[in-house]
Coordinates of all heavy atoms in Angstrom, one line a residue:
M1 N 60.7 132.6 151.5 CA 60.1 134.0 151.8 C 59.7 134.1 153.2 O 59.0 133.4 153.8 CB 58.9 134.2 150.9 CG 58.1 135.4 151.1 SD 58.7 136.9 150.3 CE 58.8 136.4 148.6
S2 N 60.4 135.1 153.8 CA 60.1 135.3 155.2 C 58.8 136.1 155.4 O 58.6 137.0 154.6 CB 61.2 136.0 155.9 OG 60.8 136.9 156.8
L3 N 58.0 135.7 156.3 CA 56.7 136.3 156.4 C 56.8 137.8 156.7 O 56.0 138.6 156.3 CB 55.9 135.6 157.6 CG 54.5 136.1 157.8 CD1 53.6 135.8 156.5 CD2 53.9 135.5 159.0
S4 N 57.7 138.2 157.5 CA 57.9 139.6 157.9 C 58.0 140.5 156.7 O 57.9 141.7 156.8 CB 59.0 139.8 158.8 OG 60.2 139.4 158.2
K5 N 58.4 139.9 155.5 CA 58.6 140.7 154.4 C 57.3 141.1 153.6 O 57.3 141.9 152.8 CB 59.6 140.1 153.4 CG 61.0 140.1 154.0 CD 62.0 139.4 153.1 CE 63.4 139.5 153.6 NZ 64.3 138.6 152.9
L6 N 56.3 140.3 153.9 CA 55.1 140.6 153.2 C 54.1 141.4 154.1 O 54.0 141.1 155.3 CB 54.4 139.3 152.8 CG 55.0 138.6 151.6 CD1 54.2 137.3 151.3 CD2 55.0 139.4 150.3
K7 N 53.5 142.3 153.5 CA 52.6 143.2 154.3 C 51.3 143.3 153.5 O 51.2 143.1 152.3 CB 53.2 144.6 154.4 CG 54.5 144.7 155.2 CD 55.1 146.0 155.1 CE 56.4 146.1 155.8 NZ 57.2 147.3 155.4
K8 N 50.3 143.7 154.4 CA 49.0 144.0 153.8 C 49.1 145.1 152.7 O 49.8 146.1 152.9 CB 48.1 144.5 154.9 CG 46.6 144.6 154.5 CD 45.8 145.0 155.8 CE 44.4 145.3 155.3 NZ 43.6 145.8 156.4
G9 N 48.5 144.8 151.5 CA 48.6 145.8 150.5 C 49.6 145.5 149.4 O 49.7 146.1 148.4
D10 N 50.5 144.5 149.7 CA 51.5 144.2 148.7 C 50.9 143.5 147.6 O 49.9 142.7 147.7 CB 52.5 143.1 149.4 CG 53.6 143.8 150.3 OD1 53.7 145.0 150.2 OD2 54.2 143.1 151.0
M11 N 51.5 143.6 146.4 CA 51.2 142.8 145.3 C 52.0 141.6 145.3 O 53.2 141.6 145.4 CB 51.4 143.6 144.0 CG 50.4 144.6 143.6 SD 48.7 144.0 143.4 CE 48.9 143.1 141.8
V12 N 51.3 140.4 145.2 CA 52.1 139.2 145.2 C 51.6 138.3 144.0 O 50.6 138.5 143.4 CB 51.9 138.4 146.5 CG1 52.5 139.1 147.7 CG2 50.4 138.1 146.8
K13 N 52.5 137.4 143.7 CA 52.2 136.4 142.7 C 52.1 135.0 143.3 O 52.9 134.7 144.2 CB 53.3 136.4 141.6 CG 52.9 135.5 140.4 CD 53.8 135.8 139.2 CE 53.3 135.1 138.0 NZ 54.0 135.4 136.8
V14 N 51.1 134.3 142.9 CA 50.9 132.9 143.4 C 51.8 132.0 142.7 O 51.9 131.9 141.5 CB 49.4 132.5 143.3 CG1 49.2 131.1 143.9 CG2 48.5 133.5 144.0
L15 N 52.6 131.2 143.5 CA 53.6 130.4 142.9 C 53.2 128.9 142.8 O 53.8 128.1 142.1 CB 54.9 130.5 143.8 CG 55.5 131.9 143.9 CD1 56.6 131.9 144.9 CD2 55.9 132.5 142.6
A16 N 52.2 128.5 143.5 CA 51.8 127.1 143.6 C 50.3 127.0 143.8 O 49.7 127.9 144.3 CB 52.6 126.4 144.7
G17 N 49.8 125.8 143.5 CA 48.3 125.6 143.8 C 47.5 125.9 142.6 O 48.0 126.2 141.5
K18 N 46.2 125.9 142.8 CA 45.2 126.0 141.7 C 45.2 127.4 141.1 O 44.8 127.7 140.0 CB 43.8 125.6 142.1 CG 43.1 126.5 143.1 CD 41.8 125.9 143.5 CE 41.2 126.7 144.7 NZ 40.3 127.8 144.3
D19 N 45.7 128.4 141.9 CA 45.7 129.8 141.4 C 47.1 130.2 141.0 O 47.4 131.4 140.9 CB 45.2 130.7 142.5 CG 43.7 130.6 142.7 OD1 42.9 130.6 141.7 OD2 43.2 130.4 143.8
K20 N 48.0 129.3 140.7 CA 49.3 129.5 140.3 C 49.3 130.5 139.1 O 48.6 130.3 138.2 CB 50.0 128.2 139.9 CG 51.5 128.4 139.6 CD 52.1 127.0 139.3 CE 53.5 127.2 138.8 NZ 54.1 125.9 138.5
G21 N 50.2 131.5 139.2 CA 50.3 132.5 138.2 C 49.5 133.8 138.3 O 49.7 134.8 137.7
K22 N 48.5 133.7 139.3 CA 47.7 134.9 139.5 C 48.4 135.9 140.3 O 49.3 135.6 141.2 CB 46.4 134.5 140.3 CG 45.3 133.9 139.4 CD 44.0 133.8 140.2 CE 42.9 133.1 139.5 NZ 41.7 132.9 140.3
T23 N 48.1 137.2 140.1 CA 48.6 138.2 141.0 C 47.5 138.9 141.7 O 46.4 139.0 141.2 CB 49.4 139.2 140.2 OG1 48.6 139.8 139.2 CG2 50.7 138.7 139.6
G24 N 47.8 139.3 142.9 CA 46.7 140.0 143.6 C 47.3 140.7 144.8 O 48.5 140.6 145.1
K25 N 46.4 141.5 145.5 CA 46.9 142.3 146.6 C 46.6 141.5 147.9 O 45.7 140.8 148.0 CB 46.0 143.6 146.6 CG 46.6 144.7 147.5 CD 45.6 145.8 147.5 CE 45.9 146.9 146.5 NZ 45.1 148.1 146.6
V26 N 47.6 141.6 148.8 CA 47.5 140.9 150.1 C 46.4 141.7 150.9 O 46.5 142.9 151.1 CB 48.8 140.9 150.9 CG1 48.6 140.3 152.2 CG2 49.8 140.1 150.1
L27 N 45.4 140.9 151.3 CA 44.3 141.5 152.1 C 44.5 141.4 153.6 O 44.2 142.3 154.3 CB 43.0 140.9 151.7 CG 42.5 141.0 150.3 CD1 41.2 140.2 150.1 CD2 42.2 142.4 149.9
T28 N 45.1 140.2 153.9 CA 45.3 139.9 155.4 C 46.6 139.1 155.5 O 46.8 138.2 154.7 CB 44.1 139.1 155.9 OG1 42.9 139.7 155.5 CG2 44.1 139.1 157.4
V29 N 47.3 139.4 156.6 CA 48.4 138.5 156.9 C 48.1 137.9 158.3 O 47.7 138.5 159.2 CB 49.7 139.4 157.0 CG1 50.9 138.5 157.4 CG2 50.1 140.1 155.7
I30 N 48.3 136.5 158.3 CA 48.0 135.8 159.6 C 49.4 135.2 160.0 O 49.7 134.1 159.7 CB 47.0 134.7 159.3 CG1 45.8 135.3 158.6 CG2 46.6 134.1 160.7 CD1 44.9 134.2 157.9
P31 N 50.2 136.0 160.8 CA 51.5 135.6 161.1 C 51.6 134.3 161.9 O 52.5 133.4 161.7 CB 52.1 136.7 162.0 CG 51.2 137.9 161.7 CD 49.8 137.3 161.4
E32 N 50.7 134.1 162.8 CA 50.7 132.9 163.6 C 50.5 131.6 162.9 O 50.8 130.5 163.3 CB 49.7 133.0 164.8 CG 48.3 133.1 164.5 CD 47.8 134.6 164.2 OE1 48.6 135.4 163.9 OE2 46.6 134.8 164.4
K33 N 49.9 131.7 161.7 CA 49.7 130.5 160.9 C 50.5 130.5 159.6 O 50.4 129.6 158.8 CB 48.2 130.5 160.4 CG 47.2 130.1 161.6 CD 45.8 130.0 161.1 CE 44.9 129.6 162.2 NZ 43.5 129.6 161.7
N34 N 51.4 131.5 159.5 CA 52.2 131.7 158.2 C 51.3 131.7 157.0 O 51.7 131.1 156.0 CB 53.2 130.6 158.1 CG 54.4 130.9 159.0 OD1 54.8 132.0 159.2 ND2 55.0 129.8 159.6
K35 N 50.2 132.3 157.1 CA 49.3 132.4 155.9 C 48.9 133.8 155.6 O 49.0 134.7 156.4 CB 48.0 131.6 156.3 CG 48.2 130.1 156.2 CD 47.0 129.3 156.4 CE 47.2 127.8 156.1 NZ 45.9 127.1 156.2
I36 N 48.5 133.9 154.3 CA 48.0 135.2 153.8 C 46.8 135.0 153.0 O 46.5 134.0 152.5 CB 49.1 136.0 152.9 CG1 49.6 135.1 151.8 CG2 50.2 136.5 153.8 CD1 50.4 135.9 150.8
V37 N 46.0 136.1 152.9 CA 44.8 136.1 152.1 C 45.0 137.1 151.0 O 45.4 138.2 151.2 CB 43.5 136.5 152.9 CG1 42.3 136.5 152.0 CG2 43.3 135.5 154.1
I38 N 44.9 136.6 149.8 CA 45.1 137.4 148.6 C 43.8 137.7 147.9 O 43.0 136.8 147.7 CB 46.1 136.8 147.6 CG1 47.4 136.4 148.4 CG2 46.5 137.7 146.4 CD1 48.3 135.4 147.6
E39 N 43.6 138.9 147.4 CA 42.4 139.3 146.7 C 42.2 138.4 145.5 O 43.0 138.2 144.7 CB 42.6 140.7 146.2 CG 41.4 141.4 145.8 CD 41.7 142.9 145.5 OE1 42.8 143.3 145.1 OE2 40.8 143.7 145.6
K40 N 41.0 137.8 145.4 CA 40.5 137.0 144.3 C 41.3 135.7 144.1 O 41.3 135.1 143.0 CB 40.5 137.8 143.0 CG 39.7 139.0 143.0 CD 38.2 138.7 142.8 CE 37.4 140.0 142.9 NZ 36.1 139.8 143.4
V41 N 42.1 135.3 145.2 CA 42.8 134.0 145.1 C 42.3 133.0 146.1 O 41.9 133.4 147.2 CB 44.3 134.3 145.3 CG1 45.1 133.0 145.5 CG2 44.9 135.1 144.1
N42 N 42.3 131.8 145.7 CA 41.8 130.7 146.5 C 40.3 131.0 147.0 O 40.0 130.9 148.1 CB 42.7 130.5 147.7 CG 42.4 129.2 148.4 OD1 41.9 128.2 147.8 ND2 42.7 129.1 149.7
L43 N 39.6 131.3 146.0 CA 38.1 131.6 146.3 C 37.4 130.3 146.7 O 37.5 129.3 146.1 CB 37.4 132.2 145.1 CG 37.8 133.7 144.7 CD1 37.2 134.1 143.4 CD2 37.5 134.6 145.8
I44 N 36.7 130.5 147.8 CA 36.0 129.3 148.4 C 34.5 129.7 148.3 O 34.1 130.8 148.8 CB 36.4 129.0 149.8 CG1 37.9 128.6 149.8 CG2 35.6 128.0 150.4 CD1 38.5 128.7 151.1
K45 N 33.7 128.8 147.8 CA 32.3 129.0 147.7 C 31.7 128.7 149.1 O 31.9 127.6 149.6 CB 31.6 128.2 146.6 CG 31.9 128.7 145.3 CD 31.0 128.0 144.2 CE 31.1 128.7 142.8 NZ 32.2 128.1 142.0
K46 N 30.9 129.6 149.6 CA 30.2 129.3 150.8 C 28.7 129.6 150.7 O 28.3 130.5 150.0 CB 30.8 130.3 151.9 CG 32.1 129.9 152.4 CD 32.5 130.8 153.6 CE 33.9 130.2 154.1 NZ 34.4 131.1 155.2
H47 N 28.0 128.6 151.3 CA 26.6 128.8 151.3 C 26.2 129.7 152.4 O 26.6 129.6 153.5 CB 25.9 127.5 151.5 CG 26.1 126.6 150.3 ND1 25.2 126.5 149.2 CD2 27.0 125.7 150.0 CE1 25.6 125.7 148.3 NE2 26.7 125.1 148.7
K48 N 25.4 130.7 152.0 CA 25.0 131.7 152.9 C 23.5 131.6 153.2 O 22.7 131.5 152.2 CB 25.3 133.1 152.3 CG 25.2 134.2 153.3 CD 25.8 135.5 152.7 CE 25.8 136.7 153.7 NZ 24.4 137.2 153.9
R49 N 23.1 131.6 154.4 CA 21.7 131.4 154.8 C 21.0 132.8 154.5 O 21.6 133.8 154.8 CB 21.5 131.1 156.2 CG 21.9 129.6 156.5 CD 21.3 129.1 157.8 NE 21.8 127.8 158.1 CZ 22.5 127.6 159.2 NH1 22.7 128.5 160.1 NH2 23.0 126.4 159.5
P50 N 19.8 132.7 154.1 CA 19.1 134.0 153.9 C 19.0 134.7 155.3 O 18.7 134.1 156.3 CB 17.7 133.6 153.4 CG 17.8 132.1 153.1 CD 19.0 131.6 153.8
D51 N 19.1 136.0 155.2 CA 18.8 136.8 156.4 C 18.0 138.1 156.1 O 17.6 138.2 154.9 CB 20.1 137.1 157.2 CG 21.1 137.8 156.4 OD1 20.7 138.5 155.4 OD2 22.3 137.7 156.6
Q52 N 17.9 139.0 157.0 CA 17.1 140.2 156.7 C 17.8 141.0 155.6 O 17.1 141.8 154.8 CB 16.9 141.0 157.9 CG 15.9 140.5 158.8 CD 16.4 140.3 160.3 OE1 17.6 140.1 160.5 NE2 15.5 140.2 161.2
K53 N 19.1 140.9 155.5 CA 19.8 141.8 154.5 C 19.9 141.2 153.1 O 19.9 141.9 152.1 CB 21.3 142.0 155.0 CG 21.3 143.0 156.1 CD 22.7 143.2 156.6 CE 22.8 143.9 157.9 NZ 24.0 143.6 158.7
S54 N 20.0 139.9 153.0 CA 20.0 139.3 151.7 C 19.2 138.0 151.6 O 18.9 137.4 152.7 CB 21.5 139.0 151.3 OG 22.0 137.9 152.1
K55 N 19.1 137.5 150.4 CA 18.3 136.3 150.2 C 19.1 135.0 150.3 O 18.6 133.9 150.1 CB 17.4 136.4 148.9 CG 18.3 136.5 147.7 CD 17.4 136.7 146.5 CE 18.4 136.8 145.3 NZ 17.7 136.9 144.0
G56 N 20.4 135.2 150.6 CA 21.3 134.0 150.7 C 21.8 133.5 149.4 O 21.7 134.2 148.4
G57 N 22.2 132.3 149.4 CA 22.8 131.7 148.2 C 24.2 131.4 148.4 O 24.7 131.2 149.5
I58 N 25.0 131.3 147.2 CA 26.4 131.0 147.3 C 27.2 132.3 147.2 O 27.0 133.1 146.3 CB 26.7 130.0 146.2 CG1 26.0 128.7 146.4 CG2 28.2 129.7 146.2 CD1 26.0 127.7 145.3
V59 N 28.1 132.4 148.1 CA 29.0 133.6 148.0 C 30.4 133.1 147.9 O 30.7 132.0 148.5 CB 28.9 134.5 149.2 CG1 27.5 135.3 149.2 CG2 29.0 133.8 150.6
E60 N 31.3 133.8 147.2 CA 32.7 133.4 147.1 C 33.5 134.3 148.1 O 33.3 135.5 148.1 CB 33.2 133.6 145.7 CG 32.7 132.5 144.8 CD 33.3 132.4 143.5 OE1 33.6 133.5 142.9 OE2 33.7 131.3 143.0
K61 N 34.4 133.7 148.8 CA 35.2 134.4 149.7 C 36.7 133.9 149.6 O 36.9 132.7 149.4 CB 34.7 134.2 151.1 CG 35.1 135.2 152.1 CD 34.5 135.0 153.5 CE 34.9 136.0 154.5 NZ 36.4 136.1 154.6
E62 N 37.6 134.8 149.7 CA 39.0 134.3 149.7 C 39.4 133.5 150.9 O 39.1 133.8 152.0 CB 39.9 135.6 149.6 CG 39.9 136.3 148.3 CD 38.9 137.5 148.3 OE1 38.1 137.6 149.2 OE2 39.0 138.3 147.3
G63 N 40.1 132.4 150.6 CA 40.6 131.6 151.7 C 42.1 131.9 151.8 O 42.8 132.2 150.8
A64 N 42.7 131.6 153.0 CA 44.1 131.9 153.2 C 44.9 130.8 152.5 O 44.5 129.7 152.4 CB 44.4 131.9 154.7
I65 N 46.1 131.2 152.0 CA 47.1 130.3 151.5 C 48.4 130.4 152.3 O 48.6 131.4 152.9 CB 47.3 130.4 150.0 CG1 48.0 131.7 149.6 CG2 46.0 130.3 149.2 CD1 48.6 131.7 148.3
H66 N 49.2 129.3 152.2 CA 50.4 129.4 152.9 C 51.4 130.4 152.3 O 51.4 130.5 151.1 CB 51.1 128.0 153.0 CG 52.2 127.9 154.0 ND1 53.5 128.1 153.7 CD2 52.1 127.6 155.3 CE1 54.2 127.9 154.8 NE2 53.4 127.7 155.8
I67 N 52.1 131.1 153.1 CA 53.0 132.1 152.7 C 54.0 131.7 151.7 O 54.4 132.4 150.7 CB 53.7 132.7 153.9 CG1 54.3 134.1 153.6 CG2 54.7 131.8 154.5 CD1 53.4 135.2 153.8
S68 N 54.4 130.4 151.7 CA 55.4 129.9 150.8 C 54.9 129.8 149.4 O 55.6 129.5 148.4 CB 55.9 128.5 151.3 OG 54.9 127.6 151.3
K69 N 53.5 129.9 149.2 CA 52.9 129.7 147.9 C 52.8 131.0 147.2 O 52.3 131.1 146.1 CB 51.5 129.1 148.1 CG 51.6 127.6 148.4 CD 50.2 127.0 148.4 CE 50.3 125.6 148.7 NZ 48.9 125.0 148.9
A70 N 53.3 132.1 147.8 CA 53.2 133.4 147.1 C 54.6 134.1 147.2 O 55.3 133.9 148.2 CB 52.1 134.2 147.7
G71 N 54.8 134.9 146.3 CA 56.1 135.7 146.3 C 55.7 137.2 146.0 O 54.8 137.5 145.2
L72 N 56.5 138.1 146.5 CA 56.3 139.5 146.2 C 56.5 139.8 144.8 O 57.4 139.3 144.2 CB 57.2 140.4 147.1 CG 56.9 141.9 147.2 CD1 55.6 142.1 147.9 CD2 58.0 142.6 147.9
F73 N 55.6 140.5 144.2 CA 55.6 140.8 142.8 C 56.3 142.1 142.5 O 55.9 143.1 143.0 CB 54.1 140.8 142.3 CG 54.0 140.9 140.8 CD1 54.2 139.9 139.9 CD2 53.6 142.2 140.2 CE1 54.1 140.0 138.5 CE2 53.5 142.3 138.9 CZ 53.7 141.2 138.0
C74 N 57.2 142.0 141.5 CA 57.9 143.3 141.1 C 57.3 143.6 139.7 O 57.4 142.8 138.8 CB 59.4 143.1 141.0 SG 60.3 144.4 140.2
S75 N 56.7 144.8 139.6 CA 56.0 145.2 138.4 C 57.0 145.5 137.3 O 56.7 145.3 136.1 CB 55.1 146.4 138.6 OG 55.9 147.4 139.2
K76 N 58.3 145.9 137.7 CA 59.3 146.1 136.7 C 59.8 144.8 136.0 O 60.0 144.8 134.8 CB 60.4 146.9 137.3 CG 61.3 147.7 136.4 CD 62.2 148.6 137.1 CE 63.2 149.2 136.2 NZ 64.3 149.9 136.9
C77 N 60.0 143.8 136.9 CA 60.4 142.5 136.4 C 59.3 141.7 135.8 O 59.5 140.7 135.2 CB 61.1 141.7 137.5 SG 62.6 142.5 138.1
N78 N 58.0 142.1 136.2 CA 56.9 141.3 135.8 C 56.9 139.9 136.3 O 56.6 138.9 135.6 CB 56.6 141.4 134.3 CG 55.2 141.0 134.0 OD1 54.3 141.2 134.8 ND2 55.0 140.4 132.8
A79 N 57.4 139.7 137.6 CA 57.6 138.4 138.1 C 57.6 138.4 139.6 O 57.8 139.5 140.2 CB 58.9 137.8 137.6
A80 N 57.5 137.3 140.2 CA 57.7 137.2 141.7 C 59.2 137.2 141.9 O 59.9 136.4 141.2 CB 57.0 135.9 142.2
V81 N 59.6 137.9 142.8 CA 61.1 138.1 143.0 C 61.5 137.9 144.4 O 60.7 138.0 145.4 CB 61.6 139.5 142.5 CG1 61.4 139.6 141.0 CG2 60.8 140.6 143.2
R82 N 62.8 137.7 144.6 CA 63.3 137.7 145.9 C 63.5 139.2 146.3 O 63.8 140.0 145.5 CB 64.7 137.0 145.9 CG 64.6 135.5 145.8 CD 66.0 134.9 145.9 NE 65.9 133.5 145.7 CZ 65.5 132.6 146.7 NH1 65.2 133.1 147.9 NH2 65.4 131.3 146.5
I83 N 63.4 139.4 147.6 CA 63.6 140.8 148.0 C 64.7 140.9 149.0 O 65.0 140.0 149.8 CB 62.2 141.4 148.6 CG1 61.6 140.4 149.5 CG2 61.3 141.8 147.5 CD1 60.3 140.9 150.2
K84 N 65.3 142.1 149.0 CA 66.3 142.4 149.9 C 65.9 143.7 150.7 O 65.0 144.4 150.2 CB 67.6 142.8 149.2 CG 68.1 141.6 148.3 CD 69.5 142.0 147.8 CE 69.5 143.0 146.7 NZ 70.8 143.2 145.9
S85 N 66.4 143.8 151.9 CA 66.0 145.1 152.5 C 67.2 146.0 152.5 O 68.4 145.5 152.5 CB 65.5 144.8 153.9 OG 66.5 144.2 154.7
K86 N 67.0 147.3 152.5 CA 68.0 148.2 152.4 C 67.7 149.4 153.3 O 66.5 149.7 153.5 CB 68.1 148.7 151.0 CG 69.2 149.6 150.6 CD 69.1 150.1 149.2 CE 70.0 151.2 148.9 NZ 69.7 151.8 147.5
T87 N 68.6 149.9 154.0 CA 68.4 151.1 154.9 C 68.8 152.3 154.1 O 70.0 152.4 153.7 CB 69.1 150.9 156.2 OG1 68.8 149.6 156.8 CG2 68.6 152.0 157.2
L88 N 67.9 153.2 154.0 CA 68.2 154.5 153.3 C 69.0 155.4 154.2 O 69.2 155.2 155.4 CB 66.9 155.2 152.9 CG 66.0 154.5 152.0 CD1 64.7 155.3 151.7 CD2 66.7 154.2 150.6
D89 N 69.5 156.5 153.6 CA 70.3 157.4 154.4 C 69.6 158.0 155.6 O 70.2 158.3 156.6 CB 70.8 158.6 153.5 CG 71.8 158.1 152.4 OD1 72.4 157.0 152.7 OD2 72.0 158.7 151.4
D90 N 68.3 158.2 155.4 CA 67.5 158.8 156.5 C 67.1 157.7 157.6 O 66.3 158.0 158.5 CB 66.3 159.5 156.0 CG 65.3 158.6 155.2 OD1 65.6 157.4 155.2 OD2 64.3 159.1 154.7
G91 N 67.6 156.5 157.4 CA 67.3 155.4 158.4 C 66.0 154.6 158.1 O 65.7 153.6 158.8
K92 N 65.3 155.0 157.0 CA 64.1 154.3 156.7 C 64.5 153.0 156.0 O 65.4 153.0 155.1 CB 63.3 155.2 155.7 CG 61.8 155.0 155.7 CD 61.2 156.0 154.8 CE 59.9 155.4 154.3 NZ 59.3 156.3 153.2
K93 N 63.8 151.9 156.3 CA 64.0 150.6 155.7 C 63.1 150.5 154.5 O 61.9 150.7 154.6 CB 63.8 149.5 156.7 CG 65.1 149.1 157.4 CD 64.9 147.8 158.2 CE 66.2 147.4 158.9 NZ 66.1 146.2 159.7
V94 N 63.7 150.1 153.4 CA 62.8 149.8 152.3 C 63.2 148.4 151.8 O 64.2 147.8 152.1 CB 63.1 150.8 151.1 CG1 62.5 152.2 151.5 CG2 64.5 150.8 150.7
R95 N 62.2 147.8 151.0 CA 62.5 146.5 150.4 C 62.8 146.8 148.9 O 62.1 147.5 148.2 CB 61.2 145.7 150.5 CG 60.9 145.4 152.0 CD 59.6 144.7 152.1 NE 58.5 145.5 151.5 CZ 57.2 145.1 151.3 NH1 56.9 143.8 151.7 NH2 56.3 145.8 150.8
I96 N 63.8 146.1 148.4 CA 64.2 146.2 147.0 C 64.2 144.9 146.4 O 64.4 143.8 147.0 CB 65.5 146.9 146.8 CG1 66.7 146.3 147.6 CG2 65.5 148.4 147.3 CD1 68.0 146.8 147.3
C97 N 63.9 144.9 145.1 CA 63.9 143.7 144.2 C 65.4 143.3 144.0 O 66.2 144.1 143.7 CB 63.3 144.1 142.9 SG 63.4 142.8 141.7
S98 N 65.6 142.0 144.2 CA 67.0 141.5 144.1 C 67.4 141.4 142.6 O 68.6 141.2 142.3 CB 67.2 140.2 144.8 OG 66.4 139.2 144.2
K99 N 66.4 141.5 141.7 CA 66.8 141.4 140.3 C 67.1 142.8 139.7 O 68.1 143.0 139.1 CB 65.6 140.8 139.5 CG 65.6 139.3 139.4 CD 64.6 138.8 138.5 CE 64.4 137.3 138.5 NZ 63.2 136.9 137.7
C100 N 66.2 143.7 139.9 CA 66.4 145.0 139.3 C 66.8 146.1 140.3 O 67.0 147.2 139.9 CB 65.1 145.4 138.5 SG 63.7 145.7 139.6
N101 N 66.9 145.8 141.5 CA 67.3 146.7 142.6 C 66.4 147.9 142.7 O 66.8 148.9 143.3 CB 68.7 147.2 142.3 CG 69.7 146.1 142.8 OD1 69.5 145.4 143.8 ND2 70.7 145.9 142.0
D102 N 65.1 147.8 142.2 CA 64.2 148.8 142.4 C 63.5 148.7 143.7 O 63.3 147.6 144.2 CB 63.1 148.7 141.2 CG 63.0 150.0 140.5 OD1 64.0 150.7 140.4 OD2 61.9 150.3 139.9
V103 N 63.1 149.8 144.3 CA 62.3 149.8 145.5 C 60.9 149.3 145.2 O 60.3 149.7 144.2 CB 62.3 151.2 146.1 CG1 61.3 151.2 147.3 CG2 63.6 151.7 146.5
I104 N 60.5 148.3 146.0 CA 59.1 147.8 145.8 C 58.2 148.6 146.6 O 58.3 148.6 147.8 CB 59.1 146.3 146.1 CG1 59.9 145.6 145.0 CG2 57.6 145.8 146.1 CD1 60.0 144.1 145.1
N105 N 57.2 149.2 146.0 CA 56.3 150.1 146.6 C 55.3 149.3 147.4 O 54.8 148.3 146.9 CB 55.6 151.0 145.6 CG 56.6 152.0 145.0 OD1 57.4 152.5 145.7 ND2 56.4 152.1 143.7
V106 N 54.9 149.8 148.5 CA 53.8 149.2 149.2 C 52.5 149.9 148.9 O 52.4 151.1 148.9 CB 54.1 149.3 150.7 CG1 53.0 148.7 151.6 CG2 55.4 148.6 151.1
G107 N 51.5 149.1 148.5 CA 50.2 149.7 148.1 C 49.4 150.4 149.1 O 49.8 150.6 150.2
Ligands
ZN201 ZN1 62.4 143.8 139.9

Protein backbone atom coordinates (compact mmCIF):
# COMPACT_ATOMS: atom_id res chain seq x y z
CA MET A 1 0.00 0.00 0.00
CA SER A 2 1.49 3.24 -1.09
CA LEU A 3 1.17 5.99 1.42
CA SER A 4 0.01 8.54 -1.09
CA LYS A 5 -3.17 6.52 -1.48
CA LEU A 6 -4.30 6.96 2.09
CA LYS A 7 -5.70 10.24 3.22
CA LYS A 8 -7.02 11.77 6.36
CA GLY A 9 -10.66 10.76 6.76
CA ASP A 10 -10.32 7.42 4.96
CA MET A 11 -11.84 4.33 6.49
CA VAL A 12 -9.17 1.70 6.90
CA LYS A 13 -8.96 -1.80 8.25
CA VAL A 14 -6.11 -2.89 10.49
CA LEU A 15 -4.33 -5.89 8.95
CA ALA A 16 -1.77 -6.72 11.63
CA GLY A 17 -0.95 -6.21 15.26
CA LYS A 18 -3.08 -6.19 18.39
CA ASP A 19 -5.89 -4.28 16.71
CA LYS A 20 -6.06 -6.56 13.68
CA GLY A 21 -9.54 -6.60 12.18
CA LYS A 22 -10.60 -3.23 13.54
CA THR A 23 -11.81 -0.53 11.24
CA GLY A 24 -11.50 3.17 11.83
CA LYS A 25 -11.04 6.55 10.34
CA VAL A 26 -7.58 7.90 9.56
CA LEU A 27 -6.98 10.84 11.87
CA THR A 28 -3.46 11.76 10.84
CA VAL A 29 -1.01 10.79 8.11
CA ILE A 30 2.69 11.11 8.89
CA PRO A 31 4.36 10.72 5.46
CA GLU A 32 7.94 11.12 6.67
CA LYS A 33 7.53 8.15 8.99
CA ASN A 34 5.21 6.09 6.80
CA LYS A 35 2.77 6.02 9.66
CA ILE A 36 -0.87 6.79 10.24
CA VAL A 37 -3.04 7.36 13.27
CA ILE A 38 -6.41 5.62 13.21
CA GLU A 39 -9.36 6.48 15.40
CA LYS A 40 -9.58 4.11 18.42
CA VAL A 41 -6.70 1.95 17.16
CA ASN A 42 -3.44 1.32 19.01
CA LEU A 43 -4.68 3.10 22.07
CA ILE A 44 -1.89 3.95 24.44
CA LYS A 45 -2.52 4.72 28.06
CA LYS A 46 -0.83 7.84 29.23
CA HIS A 47 -0.57 9.21 32.68
CA LYS A 48 -1.68 12.76 32.79
CA ARG A 49 -0.59 15.09 35.52
CA PRO A 50 -3.30 17.08 37.21
CA ASP A 51 -3.56 20.65 36.03
CA GLN A 52 -6.02 23.52 36.36
CA LYS A 53 -8.32 21.97 33.76
CA SER A 54 -8.47 18.38 34.97
CA LYS A 55 -7.56 16.26 37.92
CA GLY A 56 -5.26 14.07 35.84
CA GLY A 57 -5.20 10.29 35.77
CA ILE A 58 -4.90 7.87 32.89
CA VAL A 59 -5.94 8.99 29.44
CA GLU A 60 -6.02 6.89 26.29
CA LYS A 61 -4.63 8.26 23.11
CA GLU A 62 -4.17 6.77 19.66
CA GLY A 63 -0.61 5.85 18.72
CA ALA A 64 0.63 5.82 15.14
CA ILE A 65 0.96 2.51 13.32
CA HIS A 66 2.97 1.67 10.22
CA ILE A 67 1.12 2.21 6.98
CA SER A 68 1.69 -1.40 5.93
CA LYS A 69 -0.48 -2.55 8.82
CA ALA A 70 -3.61 -0.96 7.42
CA GLY A 71 -5.54 -1.16 4.19
CA LEU A 72 -8.21 1.04 2.69
CA PHE A 73 -11.61 -0.33 3.60
CA CYS A 74 -14.28 -0.86 0.97
CA SER A 75 -17.74 -0.82 2.54
CA LYS A 76 -19.20 -2.68 -0.42
CA CYS A 77 -16.72 -5.55 -0.18
CA ASN A 78 -16.65 -5.26 3.61
CA ALA A 79 -12.90 -5.78 3.49
CA ALA A 80 -9.58 -4.09 3.14
CA VAL A 81 -8.92 -3.93 -0.57
CA ARG A 82 -6.31 -2.96 -3.10
CA ILE A 83 -7.04 0.30 -4.76
CA LYS A 84 -6.53 1.56 -8.23
CA SER A 85 -6.69 5.11 -9.40
CA LYS A 86 -8.77 6.21 -12.29
CA THR A 87 -9.02 9.52 -14.07
CA LEU A 88 -12.56 10.61 -14.80
CA ASP A 89 -13.64 12.35 -17.98
CA ASP A 90 -13.45 15.73 -16.25
CA GLY A 91 -9.82 15.07 -15.27
CA LYS A 92 -10.58 14.38 -11.65
CA LYS A 93 -8.66 11.49 -10.11
CA VAL A 94 -10.57 9.02 -8.02
CA ARG A 95 -9.64 5.85 -6.19
CA ILE A 96 -11.51 2.71 -7.01
CA CYS A 97 -11.70 -0.67 -5.36
CA SER A 98 -9.87 -3.30 -7.39
CA LYS A 99 -12.44 -5.90 -6.40
CA CYS A 100 -15.80 -4.23 -7.05
CA ASN A 101 -14.58 -1.27 -9.12
CA ASP A 102 -16.62 1.07 -6.97
CA VAL A 103 -15.33 4.54 -6.23
CA ILE A 104 -14.09 4.71 -2.67
CA ASN A 105 -15.46 7.78 -1.02
CA VAL A 106 -13.31 10.00 1.07
CA GLY A 107 -14.88 10.85 4.41
ZN1 LIG B 1 -15.00 -3.06 -3.16
